[in-house]
Amino acid sequence: MSEFWLISAPGDKENLQALERMNTVTSKSNLSYNTKFAIPDFKVGTLDSLVGLSDELGKLDTFAESLIKRMAQSVVEVMEDSKGKVQENLLANGVDLTSFVTHFEWDMAKYPAKQPLVNVVDTLAKQLAQIESDLKSRTAAYSALKATLENLEKKSTGNLFTRTLSDIVSKEDFVLDSEYLVTLLVIVPKPSYAQWRKTYESLSDMVVPRSTKLIAEDNEGGLFTVTLFRKVIDDFKIKAKENKFTVREFFYDEKEIKREREEMTRLLSDKKQQYGPLLRWLKVNFSEAFVAWIHIKALRVFVESVLRYGLPVNFQAVLLQPHKKSATKRLREVLNSVFRHLDEVAAASLLDASVEIPGLQLSNQDYFPYVYFHLDLGLLD
């Protein structure tokens, strides 16, 4: 499972024994894999400042999770032809996300624990804000390029009524630079090919004999050329429509056709050139954002533990990875039972058989006798 529970309990003898009981029960019942989650000692400041930080960290936590999910989705979109390799590009400090979380160590160089907590939070907030800003600009440019390319490609894949004809016609198909003659393109249903060849010369006066040629086909019909005098174009169109032949409006412009082809080549080249740098940026900054997110989780545990258990700072944080979704209800009951002494009233109500136990729908706002935060690494679900 990609789900983790991050909890803490006071670090006194009684609660350390409770943690041992929790580890024993969850191990014997195969409910979860548990590891200690090391959090450094920070400068606490005042309790009032911690209350403010609690609210700020909650918002920053939500923002960070949203950001890394958007970055993960961007990797999927950029790697459109290699989606099976997406996960190997979503790493944190070079390791898979589960390994990073289960072996988490606070980065003292990047986020010095000796600084006031408010400074650490500010550093994280500014880092994530900059990553989001860069993400928007970089992906916007790539998405615009991709959309333009897709629109051009769509024009080349529609039916004969809608698709561009610049890639299937040639100069030799047309009578050009004539004052009197013009070549039209006519879409003829497949069952009507014989009728077209038999009647096209008589649809109007002044149609050049033996001037028709099939130059393209799709599932429904074919694209034929026909050459006639300019003065009978309107009459020919009317007669063609009466016979269920469709004159496709098209003017052969060699310069425009060349421009379209060069535009497609340029866009394909630009996309290829942007692909590598963008993917590398996403990989590096996804890692940065994910690492920052887990540090935010650690800060939340620290702040909430101090607010819940008081001073001096003395608590133990533990990371639990439930083995399967069907075991989460039982795991929650075990935790509430083991730590019920932390808040007898709350724990009693949670263990009351008449009260529904939340199970999978638990959120950070649900109250438990211990500090609890949820962590879901299923970023592409």
Side-chain angles (χ1 to χ4, degrees), residues 10 24 35 48 50 63 65 85 93 149 154 189 193 202 213 219 225 251 255 280 321 328 360:
T24 300
T35 56
D48 282 346
L50 287 183
F63 172 71
E65 183 174 7
K85 297 183 178 180
N93 283 356
L149 190 55
K154 279 182 182 178
Y193 282 7
S202 60
K213 180 175 67 172
N219 293 332
T225 60
F251 175 72
K255 289 183 179 179
R280 285 192 293 274
Q321 184 177 17
T328 54
L360 295 181

Side-chain angles (χ1 to χ4, degrees), residues 171-207:
K171 185 177 181 179
E172 290 71 28
D173 296 325
F174 297 86
V175 174
L176 300 173
D177 303 322
S178 171
E179 183 179 350
Y180 300 104
L181 295 175
V182 65
T183 300
L184 300 182
L185 298 178
V186 183
I187 300 170
V188 179
K190 279 189 174 180
S192 303
Y193 282 7
Q195 180 191 353
W196 164 257
R197 290 189 174 100
K198 183 178 179 181
T199 63
Y200 80 92
E201 292 179 9
S202 60
L203 289 177
S204 179
D205 295 334
M206 299 182 169
V207 176

Side-chain angles (χ1 to χ4, degrees), residues 214-228:
L214 176 64
I215 59 175
E217 284 186 293
D218 62 14
N219 293 332
E220 304 298 323
L223 187 69
F224 287 80
T225 60
V226 59
T227 301
L228 45 94

